[in-house]
Amino acid sequence: MAKRFGRFRNAPVRSLTDKHPRSLAGQVFALQVAVVVLLVAAAVLALLLQSQHDTNSEARHRSIAVAQTFAHSPGVLAALKTPDPSKVLQPLTEAARKAAGVDFIVVMNTKGIRYTHPQPQQIGKKFVGTIGPSLAGQVYTESVNGPLGHEVQAVVPIEDHADKVVGLVSAGMKVENVTSVVSRQIPIILGTGAAALVMATTGTALIARRLRRQTHRLGPAEMTRMYEHHDAVLHSVREGVLIVSNDGRLVLANDEARRLLDLPQDAEGQRIKDLPGLDPGTVELLTSGRAATDEVHLAGDRLLAVNQRTTDRHGGPKGTVATLRDSTELRALSGRADRARERLQLLHDAGLGIGTTLDVVSTAEELAKVAVPRLADFVTVDLADPVLHGDEPTTTGADMRRTAVRGIRDDHPLYERGTLIDFLPSTPQAKAFGSGRSELVPDLSAAPGWLAQEPERTHRVVEYGIHSLITVPLQARGVILGMANFWRSEKPQPFEEDDLSLAEELVARAAVSIDNARRYTREHALAVTLQRSLLPRALPEQSALDVAHRYLPAFSGVSGDWFDVIPLPGSRVALVVGDVVGHGLHAAATMGRLRTAVHNFSTLDLPPDEILNHLDDLVQRIDQEEVETTAGAGITGATCLYAIYDPVSRRCAMARAGHPPPAVVRPDGNVTFPDLPAGPPLGLGGMPFETEELELAEGTQLVLYTDGLIEDRTRDIDVGIELLREALAYHPDRSPDESCQAVLDDLLPSRPKDDVALLIARTRAIPPDHVADWDVPFDPAAVAGMRAAVAGKLDDWGLSELAFAVELVLSELITNAIRYGSAPVTIRLLLDRTLTCEVADGSSTSPHLRYAAALDEGGRGLFLVAQLTERWGTRYTPQGKVIWAELSLPRPDGSVNAAAFLDILDAEL
């Protein structure tokens, strides 16, 4: 636009009279006259077109009205039903045509055959025009060449009482009659246009004369320069406008710009940098000449949005135009909207990020993590000490333990995590705990109650820069669990009421999650306590195995995993690992019943497969009880692995019921998983269990475990087995305890989702010189010879003190085997922690202990055996049975309790 006006400014301009060749008024007059002529001509043309349109429209509307009126006139419908409708309708149509001022009214039947027409010779002929839309019940208008010439006509249906079209009526006018009406209006239109042209030309002349007076006959150059200034104002201004020249001088400032920048009255013409009160950033922008869009600059207590553009882009003078807009209130509203949006986002994140676990400490840490740094620079969470253990909190604010600490820096002087804090009654924390209402402390340095808590520390907190505090009670179900403290240091503004309400919403959400975690912690602790009480507290003493174990309850709940080490007669040891399906107290209680049952069944000294058969029957009975008493589905079973290791033969018999196979670590470090028959889980029934025997070298490690060790949702069970192999392999010198720890470190996460029971046993062997056995002839006379042989072996072992008791026990056992049993009969002495005497025969008949009457000659043998030994019993074998008895070894001083033997004999004799 500046270029166009530049060309206009440089071109010679002559007025219509040449009296003032460069007068702007003359140029404007000529331009206005031309515009007026064009406007009047356009108006005349528009009037002509509009008149013609209105006349045509009037003709169509009149035709439609006449046709509809006649179609609904009384008698028309009846006339159509007469034998000669034309006789009745022709006079009616002619009278109506003359009265309505139309050229024709034609009545016809549905086939278009005329009943009436202004020219009677046309009656009976077919109607010229379109009748299809009218037969469908519509009103139709058109222009056609009919009998009267070029006609404008309308066709209207005639309907009977059932809305059926029984005839048609057409009315219209000849186009030449319509045109004649328009022709009569042309003189009026042209006269009106001429009058308008005269009046407009006169008015233009008067305006041009006044313009010449007001512009003082200024030439185009002066008016162009004036236009450039005002054009810039009109097209660039928003509120305040500044025009700055290329040399940094203020050329123009409107009133709004003066008000916003507080400019003096004589500011125009001065250099921008010399104007008083302008912000340096604003001066730099106005004098730089660069373009800017909505840059925010300070002007007193206002925030101005500044837009700046150069003025020489279209050939104008060099300089800049800057517009100023006061955005103080807008930015305040925008700031509040941003804070509201941030608040909603923070609450949304809190809903997703707080309470993801059922751990009290983790939930407190999640609260601190969400609030830093969006709400506070530091957040601390203090919980009542009982809450951390799952108990109800006390009613006082004492003994609060700092559970979570999070901040923008780690060098803060606040209480560290784990510190037990006793808040003074004057502190905001104690007040909030007592009242249940939040406390807002805008200025910590002016809060004597808080400063009195620990003066040295609180002064360091203030010196560190922490200046404002919000403390909110963690309250759920009407119980205050602790306090959440929000500290501010980086932002100079103190906390406000909006911050307090946001903190309360966050803490309210966290309090429910912490209370749920607390209650879960209590229930979990009770379940774990029950489960641990049902597990072995200490392993029994035995010489066959070097045993280590680990039990880890699941983080989310207890289940029915258990293990056991059970000494058996003959220095043998039974190893048991099992897992009850399910979680919770019910699974733990069921585990306790199964563990007790295993102990009871082991006293029968049965092979592993028979032990599992008995357990299977027990689990089925437990399951049936659950169905009958609780109307539920019962438990789904349990898995178990039962192994018996004999240190004399170094053989291990194992059977499993749906349990993972054990790992066998050879003395050279190689790891194998024996292919034991799996067997169904306990409680399913219908399938037998099988026992597999392995011969183990001394120093071999047996690794028994539950499925929680190798199974995980993120990996396949084969991967878990392979990881277990890698954790155990090639560490022959590692102790079982070290192996346990290594396996857990390599296979388990920090928070296992399932219980894990792990039992690792390293085998030992009883030296051959600690075992002695004999075949006994099946003759009572052989008893004396066996006593002598046994006495000799006891002398070799240095156990002569036990010879009397051992001879007496063996005499009774051998005599019973020969008298009541069957061949072959054998004797075995086993020297270990105790001295075990075993007498085997081929009969499965079990002896029973009884009391003999005073006059009975027999029946006292087993009673004497029971009195002279620590314990005795019967073990059944595929070949018969073994009666065994264990005697305590001499005391360290070499003495035995001979007096006890003599007392027993005296009592019997």
Side-chain angles (χ1 to χ4, degrees):
M1 183 176 290
K3 280 187 176 181
R4 291 197 300 270
F5 277 94
R7 291 194 299 268
F8 179 75
R9 179 186 59 206
N10 298 326
V13 180
R14 297 181 180 270
S15 66
L16 295 178
T17 62
D18 286 338
K19 190 174 183 180
H20 300 286
R22 300 183 63 83
S23 172
L24 179 62
Q27 298 177 35
V28 171
F29 177 77
L31 178 62
Q32 288 181 337
V33 169
V35 169
V36 167
V37 171
L38 291 176
L39 290 176
V40 171
V44 170
L45 178 61
L47 287 174
L48 289 173
L49 295 176
Q50 182 64 36
S51 177
Q52 184 176 5
H53 175 270
D54 292 343
T55 304
N56 290 333
S57 179
E58 172 64 19
R60 290 178 183 273
H61 290 165
R62 183 183 298 179
S63 300
I64 293 173
V66 170
Q68 287 182 331
T69 301
F70 193 88
H72 295 90
S73 297
V76 174
L77 189 61
L80 291 175
K81 296 179 180 180
T82 62
D84 188 7
S86 298
K87 181 179 181 180
V88 178
L89 295 176
Q90 177 68 9
L92 295 178
T93 56
E94 285 301 299
R97 177 181 65 79
K98 296 176 181 178
V102 295
D103 292 331
F104 64 90
I105 297 177
V106 176
V107 180
M108 69 195 85
N109 62 12
T110 55
K111 296 181 180 180
I113 304 302
R114 300 188 187 97
Y115 290 143
T116 67
H117 196 274
Q119 298 175 355
Q121 65 271 21
Q122 298 295 331
I123 297 174
K125 295 182 179 180
K126 191 171 182 64
F127 174 75
V128 179
T130 303
I131 63 173
S134 300
L135 291 175
Q138 300 177 5
V139 176
Y140 184 77
T141 61
E142 62 181 348
S143 296
V144 298
N145 292 318
L148 301 180
H150 193 191
E151 304 168 345
V152 176
Q153 63 184 14
V155 183
V156 175
I158 302 174
E159 298 177 347
D160 60 7
H161 299 294
D163 295 332
K164 179 180 179 183
V165 177
V166 297
L168 303 174
V169 176
S170 176
M173 299 177 65
K174 293 186 289 184
V175 175
E176 62 184 18
N177 293 337
V178 176
T179 306
S180 64
V181 175
V182 177
S183 300
R184 289 195 298 270
Q185 295 177 349
I186 290 177
I188 300 174
I189 294 174
L190 293 178
T192 303
L197 179 59
V198 172
M199 294 178 63
T201 304
T202 304
T204 300
L206 295 175
I207 293 173
R209 178 184 297 178
R210 185 172 182 178
L211 181 60
R212 282 196 298 270
R213 290 198 307 267
Q214 291 180 345
T215 58
H216 302 286
R217 300 183 184 274
L218 292 176
E222 292 84 358
M223 294 303 298
T224 301
R225 187 164 54 252
M226 183 181 296
Y227 172 77
E228 289 174 349
H229 295 165
H230 290 83
D231 183 70
V233 173
L234 292 175
H235 294 86
S236 299
V237 69
R238 290 187 177 182
E239 287 85 6
V241 177
L242 296 175
I243 300 179
V244 181
S245 64
N246 191 40
D247 58 355
R249 293 183 181 275
L250 180 61
V251 176
L252 175 66
N254 68 352
D255 293 339
E256 183 67 10
R258 292 177 182 274
R259 186 185 70 84
L260 293 176
L261 297 178
D262 197 18
L263 297 176
Q265 291 297 325
D266 59 347
E268 293 180 354
Q270 297 187 35
R271 293 185 179 275
I272 295 294
K273 63 181 180 179
D274 295 335
L275 295 175
L278 292 184
D279 179 71
T282 306
V283 173
E284 187 277 331
L285 173 62
L286 296 177
T287 57
S288 65
R290 60 182 175 84
T293 301
D294 285 338
E295 287 194 13
V296 179
H297 291 270
L298 187 64
D301 57 350
R302 298 185 182 94
L303 290 175
L304 302 182
V306 182
N307 290 271
Q308 183 168 274
R309 296 292 183 272
T310 59
T311 59
D312 59 350
R313 289 182 296 171
H314 301 292
K318 291 185 177 181
T320 56
V321 175
T323 60
L324 313 174
R325 184 176 68 256
D326 189 351
S327 62
T328 306
E329 294 184 0
L330 179 61
R331 289 192 172 272
L333 292 174
S334 177
R336 286 195 291 271
D338 290 341
R339 286 195 297 273
R341 184 169 55 254
E342 292 173 358
R343 174 174 177 162
L344 291 175
Q345 184 63 40
L346 178 57
L347 293 176
H348 175 266
D349 294 343
L352 298 178
I354 298 177
T356 60
T357 67
L358 287 173
D359 181 71
V360 174
V361 175
S362 297
T363 305
E365 291 175 346
E366 288 170 349
L367 169 60
K369 180 180 180 181
V370 166
V372 174
R374 289 188 282 180
L375 175 59
D377 298 318
F378 297 91
V379 174
T380 60
V381 180
D382 305 323
L383 297 179
D385 212 33
V387 173
L388 297 173
H389 305 289
D391 300 325
E392 293 283 347
T394 59
T395 57
T396 64
D399 297 336
M400 303 284 287
R401 190 173 296 279
R402 182 135 296 175
T403 308
V405 180
R406 193 176 186 89
I408 57 177
R409 302 209 310 260
D410 297 331
D411 58 345
H412 58 82
L414 300 171
Y415 287 112
E416 296 298 330
R417 176 180 171 181
T419 305
L420 190 63
I421 309 171
D422 186 3
F423 288 107
L424 296 179
S426 63
T427 60
Q429 288 85 350
K431 292 179 180 178
F433 193 96
S435 65
R437 294 189 297 270
S438 304
E439 292 283 333
L440 171 59
V441 183
D443 187 1
L444 289 174
S445 62
W450 175 77
L451 292 171
Q453 169 65 28
E454 188 177 328
E456 183 179 352
R457 180 183 293 273
T458 53
H459 283 297
R460 283 194 287 117
V461 170
V462 173
E463 292 174 356
Y464 182 79
I466 297 177
H467 58 81
S468 189
L469 165 67
I470 291 177
T471 181
V472 183
L474 282 156
Q475 188 169 358
R477 298 182 301 106
V479 178
I480 297 179
L481 308 174
M483 307 300 301
N485 307 296
F486 302 85
W487 313 82
R488 178 168 286 180
S489 64
E490 290 296 316
K491 296 180 180 178
Q493 300 85 3
F495 283 119
E496 300 175 347
E497 291 297 329
D498 288 345
D499 300 318
L500 176 61
S501 62
L502 177 56
E504 288 175 341
E505 290 188 43
L506 285 178
V507 172
R509 297 180 181 220
V512 175
S513 298
I514 289 177
D515 186 59
N516 291 338
R518 177 194 65 80
R519 298 168 67 182
Y520 171 79
T521 300
R522 179 182 60 192
E523 295 175 1
H524 184 262
L526 290 175
V528 170
T529 301
L530 171 63
Q531 190 175 31
R532 289 191 181 277
S533 68
L534 297 175
L535 292 173
R537 297 188 179 182
L539 297 181
E541 294 183 357
Q542 44 81 31
S543 302
L545 298 169
D546 182 11
V547 182
H549 64 89
R550 292 289 189 279
Y551 172 75
L552 296 178
F555 179 75
S556 59
V558 298
S559 61
D561 293 18
W562 92 92
F563 66 92
D564 221 332
V565 179
I566 306 173
L568 298 177
S571 296
R572 294 169 304 131
V573 177
L575 301 176
V576 190
V577 172
D579 183 5
V580 175
V581 176
H583 291 79
L585 294 177
H586 176 72
T590 304
M591 175 270 290
R593 297 177 67 178
L594 292 182
R595 180 171 177 258
T596 302
V598 170
H599 271 270
N600 293 334
F601 294 146
S602 66
T603 60
L604 301 177
D605 213 345
L606 301 174
D609 57 332
E610 294 189 28
I611 293 286
L612 294 182
N613 283 328
H614 287 297
L615 287 176
D616 185 57
D617 294 338
L618 175 62
V619 173
Q620 291 184 58
R621 289 196 299 272
I622 294 175
D623 196 24
Q624 186 63 33
E625 291 174 2
E626 291 294 326
V627 174
E628 294 176 355
T629 59
T630 64
I635 63 173
T636 57
T639 65
C640 184
L641 190 150
Y642 191 92
I644 299 176
Y645 174 68
D646 187 349
V648 177
S649 63
R650 293 184 288 103
R651 299 189 67 83
C652 182
M654 291 182 283
R656 63 187 179 118
H659 203 80
V664 177
V665 184
R666 305 292 181 183
D668 59 1
N670 289 321
V671 180
T672 60
F673 292 87
D675 186 17
L676 300 181
L682 300 175
L684 298 183
M687 295 290 292
F689 301 98
E690 299 182 45
T691 296
E692 185 80 11
E693 283 197 2
L694 302 176
E695 184 172 350
L696 305 178
E698 186 174 6
T700 300
Q701 290 189 15
L702 281 174
V703 182
L704 282 65
Y705 52 91
T706 55
D707 57 3
L709 181 69
I710 58 174
E711 290 185 359
D712 191 89
R713 295 179 180 178
T714 60
R715 68 186 182 213
D716 190 73
I717 187 172
D718 293 336
V719 177
I721 291 287
E722 188 60 30
L723 291 175
L724 178 61
R725 182 196 305 274
E726 294 175 358
L728 293 171
Y730 305 114
H731 296 284
D733 298 330
R734 194 164 59 186
S735 68
D737 190 75
E738 293 172 343
S739 295
C740 281
Q741 193 59 47
V743 168
L744 296 183
D745 292 342
D746 291 350
L747 271 73
L748 292 186
S750 58
R751 294 181 176 181
K753 294 180 175 57
D754 194 8
D755 285 19
V756 175
L758 175 63
L759 191 66
I760 298 182
R762 175 178 287 171
T763 61
R764 297 174 181 169
I766 295 180
D769 56 354
H770 281 209
V771 181
D773 50 14
W774 297 270
D775 293 327
V776 180
F778 199 73
D779 183 359
V783 175
M786 290 298 101
R787 284 202 301 266
V790 168
K793 176 55 70 174
L794 293 177
D795 289 339
D796 294 340
W797 287 343
L799 299 176
S800 301
E801 300 89 343
L802 296 178
F804 176 76
V806 172
E807 290 179 16
L808 182 58
V809 169
L810 286 178
S811 295
E812 293 296 335
L813 297 180
I814 294 173
T815 300
N816 285 339
I818 294 175
R819 180 177 298 177
Y820 304 109
S822 60
V825 178
T826 60
I827 300 174
R828 188 174 75 164
L829 293 183
L830 181 61
L831 178 59
D832 194 22
R833 291 178 177 270
T834 61
L835 179 64
T836 303
C837 304
E838 297 178 349
V839 177
D841 66 82
S843 171
S844 59
T845 304
S846 176
H848 298 282
L849 179 66
R850 66 185 181 88
Y851 290 96
L855 299 178
D856 290 348
E857 295 183 359
R860 297 179 177 84
L862 288 181
F863 178 77
L864 290 175
V865 171
Q867 296 299 316
L868 293 175
T869 60
E870 291 293 325
R871 56 179 185 154
W872 72 280
T874 304
R875 179 172 75 252
Y876 294 95
T877 66
Q879 294 79 25
K881 68 176 180 295
V882 175
I883 309 297
W884 56 269
E886 292 182 358
L887 287 82
S888 298
L889 296 180
R891 298 168 182 168
D893 58 2
S895 63
V896 295
N897 194 0
F901 296 158
L902 295 176
D903 292 340
I904 294 171
L905 290 176
D906 290 341
E908 290 301 315
L909 295 175

